[in-house]
Amino acid sequence: MPSPSSPAEPLPDLDTLRARYQKGLLAWLQAPESGAGLAPMTAALAALPPHPLWDAALTLLQTIQEGRLPPRVEYRRLAGRVDQALRKASASQPPDATLLPELQAPLAQLDPPPQAPMEALVPRSPLAPTLAATAAILPLMAQSREPRFTGEQRQAWDGAAPLLLETWARRSADWGPLRRAVFKLLEGALPLGHPAPLRLAEALACATDQLESTPPGPRLLAALSATLELLAEPDFLEHPAMEQRVAQLVPRLEGADDSSPSVTLETLFAQEALECVEHLHQALEAVPPDLEALAQGLAQLREAAEHGERAEIANWAARLDALLPHFLPQQLDYGTGRVLVQQFVASLEEWISSGTAVRQETASAINTALERLAASLPG
């Protein structure tokens, strides 16, 4: 039985349909209030074979098109993630498991909630309650299988995996601690005596080697995030599909920087991030400056950067957010504090507008402004 989280069979003409969807998405991002681009996006999704993910995306976009939902930033972000799901489908990879419920959430809040296209056409089976009850007890009837590894075998791995996840969560411009944590995981893979965990740890080591030689691109960071997200699962080593998961993760880690970033995703991130920067400008222009609005704008920027795998921007936003509680509004209304925050916002805007190009001078200006701001803390 096909999994509901992945298309049942290869999608016909997927590349063509995705190109139409991307063209519409770019038009919508440029003029979201006008609804431009929604028609080709919905037409492309409607041409796909029935599947819960495409049906939910189509229903959400049609609802926005009808004016029942506003074209909010979070919905445009979801539309960008649907483009990622189309890319994964063309490579026979499963989509992000969180995408379907996030597409369905805004629809469930409407009164009455809209029906997905296929749900509106297919009658509900009278046996559905019985089948649902049967499905609920099937896992309880399944026989337990012998574990792959003994407690002694996995002792080193179980100690190294949480350390790696903690190091990734606290990552900074210095990638040394992360590389050391990966090597600990590699050491923990050896006693397991299984090729899959060892291959995954080796791929992680090679991927983290790239972090210090060149600035990490969004694809490399996305591959690392996806891998560590699965490693965080307590049953990763004993999961029935562990070998298949590793077979999907390793090529992504090994070829993360081989292809250029998606223009669509770059455009989506830049638009969302620049909207956040505009909120920072408005908060600074208030008299006195609105510290609460500044904090909200930085939180939104950090969230957008994390979704777009822009670790440097997320780090800068977090650093300024940590400094704000130490200032009174009037201390950012004039003088050194205000000038430094303005320099930070202006340099950040320049960095975002530069796209994927690395602007060392701009990064230096941002870091300098933050360091001087920290040094000017009252008391």
Side-chain angles (χ1 to χ4, degrees):
M1 181 178 294
S3 167
S5 64
S6 58
E9 36 185 77
L11 301 176
D13 276 330
L14 179 58
D15 290 338
T16 301
L17 293 175
R18 184 189 174 206
R20 294 176 188 169
Y21 180 89
Q22 284 186 317
K23 185 175 181 180
L25 179 56
L26 286 171
W28 189 39
L29 294 178
Q30 292 169 1
E33 298 297 333
S34 71
L38 284 172
M41 292 168 71
T42 55
L45 292 174
L48 294 168
H51 181 269
L53 185 59
W54 315 137
D55 293 344
L58 174 60
T59 306
L60 177 63
L61 293 178
Q62 287 176 333
T63 306
I64 296 172
Q65 203 172 14
E66 294 166 0
R68 295 185 64 191
L69 283 175
R72 293 177 180 166
V73 169
E74 55 264 35
Y75 302 154
R76 303 201 295 274
R77 182 191 303 154
L78 284 173
R81 291 175 61 194
V82 171
D83 175 55
Q84 288 180 292
L86 289 169
R87 175 181 60 79
K88 288 183 177 181
S90 67
S92 300
Q93 297 177 352
D96 180 356
T98 64
L99 180 55
L100 179 57
E102 289 185 35
L103 287 167
Q104 294 171 331
L107 299 174
Q109 297 174 5
L110 295 176
D111 187 20
Q115 289 182 302
M118 291 306 296
E119 293 172 346
L121 296 175
V122 180
R124 180 173 173 83
S125 169
L127 295 177
T130 303
L131 294 174
T134 304
I137 65 172
L138 282 177
L140 302 177
M141 299 171 62
Q143 294 186 1
S144 60
R145 61 179 182 83
E146 289 295 322
R148 287 193 184 96
F149 310 106
T150 66
E152 184 179 357
Q153 281 181 306
R154 55 182 297 166
Q155 182 177 2
W157 176 283
D158 289 345
L163 174 63
L164 175 57
L165 297 170
E166 181 183 349
T167 307
W168 174 255
R170 295 185 288 101
R171 63 189 181 276
S172 62
D174 179 12
W175 298 104
L178 182 66
R179 293 189 65 223
R180 290 191 290 273
V182 169
F183 285 125
K184 284 288 184 184
L185 189 74
L186 187 57
E187 293 174 2
L190 295 174
L192 296 174
H194 192 294
L198 181 59
R199 186 180 175 212
L200 182 61
E202 289 174 341
L204 273 170
C206 292
T208 51
D209 280 343
Q210 301 176 35
L211 294 172
E212 294 186 343
S213 58
T214 57
R219 291 186 184 275
L220 175 57
L221 291 173
L224 288 168
S225 294
T227 302
L228 297 177
E229 193 172 310
L230 284 179
L231 281 178
E233 297 182 1
D235 66 337
F236 175 80
L237 287 177
E238 296 296 339
H239 195 283
M242 188 264 286
E243 291 91 345
Q244 291 84 348
R245 285 176 157 192
V246 170
Q248 288 184 348
L249 292 170
V250 168
R252 295 180 63 185
L253 290 168
E254 292 177 342
D257 281 350
D258 288 347
S259 53
S260 57
S262 164
V263 174
T264 303
L265 296 180
E266 292 292 327
T267 304
L268 179 64
F269 168 75
Q271 183 187 50
E272 185 177 356
L274 289 174
E275 285 183 8
C276 296
V277 170
E278 180 60 29
H279 292 159
L280 298 181
H281 281 302
Q282 293 172 359
L284 276 174
E285 291 303 318
V287 181
D290 190 338
L291 290 182
E292 184 176 350
L294 271 173
Q296 290 175 349
L298 289 169
Q300 292 170 357
L301 179 61
R302 185 177 182 181
E303 181 182 0
E306 288 172 348
H307 277 291
E309 298 298 339
R310 303 301 181 85
E312 68 284 346
I313 294 179
N315 181 47
W316 288 330
R319 287 171 62 187
L320 180 57
D321 188 41
L323 294 176
L324 285 181
H326 298 280
F327 288 91
L328 298 173
Q330 58 267 29
Q331 291 171 317
L332 296 181
D333 195 17
Y334 54 85
T336 304
R338 179 179 180 82
V339 171
L340 291 174
V341 174
Q342 286 177 326
Q343 288 177 357
F344 169 87
V345 175
S347 299
L348 191 61
E349 187 172 11
E350 180 182 346
W351 175 279
I352 296 168
S353 301
S354 68
T356 57
V358 178
R359 304 290 188 188
Q360 188 61 41
E361 185 176 340
T362 305
S364 177
I366 294 173
N367 285 319
T368 299
L370 287 170
E371 290 167 4
R372 292 182 59 193
L373 197 62
S376 68
L377 285 175

